[in-house]
């Protein structure tokens, strides 16, 4: 029987990964996800396997099986990611997202600007599944023209964007957290609302107070952005039928692949009806079918009167998801190697010593997720490592996987833009041209979410337990022991 590596030895691959990612991010910056981070994961996987095979005599077949099992477990999520790539592209070209932005911006009033900015970014990120949205650039310009501090505006933008990114069924991080913890996607989203809604409500109240305490100017920029949208797309309430149908399917718990596929098909039909000129421009000819296909699978760009708006309506399609798919596959290899070598179990045993209660379990998960964000400088890798490390502990303690998936997102997804050297922190600071440490104190939602996760665990509100039917008799004996 192979000897289990000690916690110190088990830390070696983690330290190698941190070193590799530090060098990669320093060299490539926000482009690290284009291959550098993936290669870092593979190199770290190789070092983990080498240590296990040479010093602990762990056979290669164990690693091969663990890696294969990990990749098999995320196969459905990879399919969902590809469908989401198609959906996000065609939702933009069909005018659905521009329509939502257009109507959303009508609610902006100077006194409510910061709260409205947060709400608009929530809306956009919910519909696009991405927190890296350039609508923030337009809102930043509007806010500065009205006399608001740019750090306040950036905080409102990031708070709203990461709320949507956290709970949107189109978000890569949402799908990843659900996949890694083996939680059904829509169950994961519904359970997150318990901590997410209170956090965003408090954040909106704080932004409203800041807004009322500031002398403001005109709303000219808002009108300009709305005009540019009208010039580029056919804006009509009829387009809202597609997100409405999607919301109904989600509420009725229709499987995510079916829901997203239906939504994509409806958006293609809407694009052909309401945005034929846009599809022809994308296709470069008269073929609407070609324009729809290109919108679903490839990168597209449309010219508008505003450079920031042109960047916002640019799409990536299914092809734009390939870096994430590649990253997931490489991370699954690393997770499989850690599991097969016994290193993951060895590291978890250290954490288990501090997990005496429900609160300590959730708190340890939050601290671990934040540490992973600091150490690996990437939210995707942090989600995968946190989910893998704590999955067995939550299962043995009788908690439903949705508690782990929610805590992981509360700890990892929303804190990633608060770390200057994290890919998210670098990207937001670059896009908004506001230093990370300048906007950090005003990202109220991001700061509140991990604290809210611990608070909800402390009061014991709706803590999800595993159904008795899912608990094997052997686990009952283990728990009793």
């Amino acid at each position: 029987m192979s000897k289990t590596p000690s916690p110190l030895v088990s830390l070696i691959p983690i330290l190698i990964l941190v070193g590799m990612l530090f060098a990669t991010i320093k060299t490539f910056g926000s482009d690290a996800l284009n291959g550098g981070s993936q290669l870092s994961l593979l190199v770290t996987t190789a070092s983990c396997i080498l240590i296990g095979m040479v010093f602990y005599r762990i056979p290669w077949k164990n690693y091969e099986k663990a890696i294969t099992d990990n990749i098999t477990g995320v196969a459905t999520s990879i399919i969902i990611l590809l469908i989401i790539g198609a959906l996000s592209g065609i939702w933009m070209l069909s005018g659905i997202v521009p329509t939502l932005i257009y109507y959303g911006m009508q609610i902006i009033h100077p006194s409510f600007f910061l709260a409205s900015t947060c709400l608009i970014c929530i809306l956009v990120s919910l519909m696009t599944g991405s927190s890296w949205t350039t609508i923030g650039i337009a809102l930043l310009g509007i806010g500065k023209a009205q006399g608001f501090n740019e750090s306040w505006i950036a905080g409102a933008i990031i708070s709203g964007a990461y709320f949507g990114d956290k709970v949107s069924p189109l978000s890569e991080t949402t799908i990843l957290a659900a996949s890694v913890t083996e939680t059904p996607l829509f169950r994961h989203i519904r359970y997150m609302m318990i901590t997410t809604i209170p956090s965003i409500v408090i954040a909106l109240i704080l932004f409203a107070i800041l807004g009322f305490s500031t002398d403001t100017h005109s709303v000219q920029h808002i009108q300009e952005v709305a005009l540019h949208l009208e010039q580029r797309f056919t804006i009509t309430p009829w387009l809202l039928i597609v997100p409405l149908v999607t919301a109904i399917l989600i509420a009725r718990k229709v499987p995510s692949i079916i829901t997203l596929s239906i939504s994509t098909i409806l958006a293609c039909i809407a694009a052909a009806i309401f945005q034929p000129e846009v599809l022809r421009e994308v296709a470069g000819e008269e073929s609407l079918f070609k324009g729809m296909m290109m919108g679903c699978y490839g990168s597209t760009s449309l010219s508008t009167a505003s450079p920031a708006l042109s960047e916002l309506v640019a799409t990536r399609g299914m092809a734009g998801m390939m870096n994430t798919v590649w990253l997931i596959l490489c991370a699954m290899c690393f997770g499989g190697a850690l599991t097969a070598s016994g290193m993951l179990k060895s590291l978890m045993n250290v954490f288990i010593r501090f997990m005496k209660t429900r609160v300590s379990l959730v708190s340890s998960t939050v601290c671990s997720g934040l540490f992973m964000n600091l150490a690996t400088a990437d939210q995707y890798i942090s989600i995968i490592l946190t989910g893998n490390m704590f999955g067995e502990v939550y299962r043995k303690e009788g908690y439903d996987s949705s508690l782990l998936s929610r805590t992981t997102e509360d700890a990892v997804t929303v804190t990633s833009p608060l770390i200057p050297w994290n890919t998210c922190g670098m990207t937001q600071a670059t896009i908004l041209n506001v230093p990370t440490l300048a906007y950090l104190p005003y990202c109220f939602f991001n700061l509140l979410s991990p604290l809210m996760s611990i608070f909800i665990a402390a009061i014991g509100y709706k803590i999800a337990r595993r159904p008795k039917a899912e608990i094997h008799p052997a686990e009952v004996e283990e728990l009793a022991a």
Side-chain angles (χ1 to χ4, degrees):
M1 185 175 180
S2 302
K3 183 182 176 183
T4 302
S6 68
L8 287 177
V9 172
S10 302
L11 272 176
I12 293 175
I14 301 292
L15 295 175
I16 293 173
L17 178 61
V18 171
M20 288 286 294
L21 288 173
F22 176 81
T24 300
I25 292 172
K26 185 177 181 180
T27 303
F28 296 100
S30 58
D31 291 330
L33 290 179
N34 291 341
S37 295
Q38 290 88 330
L39 189 57
S40 298
L41 278 165
L42 290 179
V43 171
T44 308
T45 301
S47 67
C48 181
I49 294 173
L50 182 65
I51 292 171
M53 293 183 69
V54 172
F55 297 100
Y56 296 93
R57 298 292 187 268
I58 299 171
W60 164 251
K61 65 179 182 180
N62 290 18
Y63 289 103
E64 190 173 27
K65 184 179 186 305
I67 290 171
T68 302
D69 289 346
N70 269 14
I71 292 175
T72 301
V74 297
T76 300
S77 295
I78 289 174
I79 295 171
I80 291 174
L81 275 174
L82 293 175
I83 297 174
I84 283 173
L87 185 146
S88 60
I90 201 64
W91 268 39
M92 185 65 75
L93 297 183
S94 66
I96 294 172
V97 173
T99 296
L100 289 166
I101 295 172
Y102 178 85
Y103 289 126
M105 294 189 72
Q106 304 306 310
I107 68 172
I108 291 184
H109 183 277
S111 297
F112 293 96
F113 174 78
L114 292 175
S116 298
T117 292
C118 187
L119 286 170
I120 289 172
C121 289
I122 286 173
L123 186 66
V124 174
S125 57
L126 276 172
M127 294 301 107
T128 63
S130 173
S131 55
W132 293 6
T133 167
T134 54
I135 188 64
I137 298 174
L139 291 169
L140 191 68
I142 295 168
K144 289 171 71 174
Q146 292 181 350
F148 286 99
N149 183 299
E150 63 177 14
S151 298
W152 296 5
I153 306 167
I157 291 168
I158 292 169
S159 290
Y162 276 83
F163 172 91
D165 187 20
K166 181 184 175 187
V167 302
S168 173
L170 311 184
S171 169
E172 299 167 11
T173 55
T174 307
I175 296 168
L176 186 59
S179 172
V180 169
T181 58
E182 299 181 359
T183 306
L185 178 60
F186 294 137
R187 187 167 81 188
H188 166 59
I189 292 172
R190 286 192 296 270
Y191 195 60
M192 276 198 296
M193 294 302 178
I194 297 172
T195 58
T196 304
I197 295 298
S199 298
I200 197 63
V201 168
I202 294 172
L204 287 170
I205 292 172
L206 293 173
F207 285 127
I209 292 172
L210 284 177
F212 274 105
S213 65
T214 305
D215 293 329
T216 57
H217 310 311
S218 69
V219 294
Q220 180 181 355
H221 282 275
I222 303 172
Q223 297 170 348
E224 289 178 359
V225 173
L227 179 62
H228 294 329
L229 285 170
E230 283 186 302
Q231 292 173 342
R232 179 70 273 189
F233 297 95
T234 299
I235 304 296
T236 169
W238 289 107
L239 286 168
L240 301 180
I241 292 175
V242 179
L244 178 62
V245 171
T246 305
I248 291 171
L249 292 173
I250 292 172
R252 294 183 64 86
K253 301 181 182 180
V254 176
S256 52
I257 289 180
I258 297 175
T259 297
L260 297 173
S261 297
I262 291 173
S263 184
T264 302
I265 293 169
L266 291 176
C268 286
I269 295 171
I273 296 173
F274 296 105
Q275 318 294 343
E277 292 304 318
V278 171
L279 294 180
R280 291 189 184 101
E281 181 178 334
V282 169
E285 54 186 75
E286 290 298 311
S287 174
L288 297 182
F289 175 74
K290 183 178 179 181
M292 282 189 290
M293 292 289 284
M294 291 177 66
C296 287
Y297 74 75
S299 299
T300 66
S301 60
L302 298 171
S303 59
T304 71
S306 165
L309 188 60
S310 297
E311 191 174 351
L312 171 63
V313 299
T315 68
R316 300 183 301 159
M318 297 174 77
M321 294 294 179
M322 294 314 297
N323 278 341
T324 303
V325 170
W326 182 13
L327 181 73
I328 291 172
L329 292 175
C330 293
M332 288 299 101
C333 291
F334 180 51
L338 280 177
T339 302
S341 64
M343 294 180 182
L344 185 61
K345 183 177 181 180
S346 180
L347 289 172
M348 276 313 307
N349 287 336
V350 176
F351 281 98
I352 290 173
R353 296 174 189 173
F354 302 99
M355 298 178 189
K356 305 300 181 183
T357 64
R358 177 183 63 248
V359 179
S360 62
L361 176 61
V362 171
S363 300
S364 295
T365 309
V366 169
C367 292
S368 174
L370 182 57
F371 170 76
M372 290 297 178
N373 247 343
L374 290 164
T376 66
D378 184 83
Q379 62 175 344
Y380 299 107
I381 297 172
S382 300
I383 288 172
I384 292 167
L385 292 179
T386 303
N388 280 336
M389 287 178 65
F390 287 89
E392 187 69 12
V393 178
Y394 276 72
R395 185 187 65 79
K396 286 185 176 180
E397 293 296 325
Y399 293 108
D400 189 81
S401 60
S402 57
L403 179 60
L404 173 58
S405 63
R406 182 183 77 186
T407 307
T408 299
E409 286 237 65
D410 286 339
V412 177
T413 302
V414 298
T415 61
S416 56
L418 307 181
I419 300 167
W421 56 88
N422 190 287
T423 52
C424 295
M426 287 191 299
T427 300
Q428 294 298 340
T430 301
I431 291 176
L432 300 175
N433 197 28
V434 180
T436 305
L437 296 181
Y439 66 63
L440 187 154
Y442 306 102
C443 294
F444 300 131
F445 172 73
N446 307 68
L447 294 169
L448 285 167
S449 288
L451 299 176
M452 186 64 68
S453 193
I454 297 172
F455 174 73
I456 294 296
I459 65 175
Y461 181 70
K462 290 190 176 181
I463 299 299
R465 308 287 304 195
R466 293 174 64 198
K468 292 183 179 180
E470 294 182 8
I471 302 179
H472 193 274
E475 291 184 79
V476 176
E477 295 178 6
E478 187 177 358
L479 286 170

